[in-house]
């Protein structure tokens, strides 16, 4: 297929699948692990902010 840019996890998975399919191992020169993108905390902050604005506006459900 056409070439595509992939992050390290995709690359590591591709190397493992290639090893399983062909028996050939092509080592990676480097692998950088990065923590997960923060999702829940910013989402929770937005939800709390929305509720705070509703309460301060006197809006009712």
């Amino acid at each position: 297929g056409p070439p595509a840019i992939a992050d390290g996890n995709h690359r590591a998975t591709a190397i493992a699948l290639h090893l399983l399919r062909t028996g050939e191992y092509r080592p990676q020169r480097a692998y950088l692990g990065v923590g997960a993108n923060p999702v829940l905390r910013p989402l929770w902050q937005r939800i709390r902010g929305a509720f705070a604005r509703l309460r301060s506006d006197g809006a009712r459900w």
Side-chain angles (χ1 to χ4, degrees):
I5 298 173
D7 68 10
N9 292 325
H10 289 92
R11 178 79 178 125
T13 302
I15 288 172
L17 290 174
H18 180 77
L19 173 64
L20 291 174
R21 292 179 184 153
T22 67
E24 177 189 8
Y25 176 68
R26 297 183 198 162
Q28 280 184 210
R29 286 187 257 159
Y31 183 81
L32 174 63
V34 178
N37 292 333
V39 174
L40 293 179
R41 187 174 189 173
L43 176 62
W44 179 242
Q45 289 172 341
R46 288 181 183 173
I47 291 171
R48 285 187 4 211
F51 281 123
R53 283 189 299 276
L54 283 174
R55 279 186 274 156
S56 66
D57 291 342
R60 294 190 173 203
W61 295 83

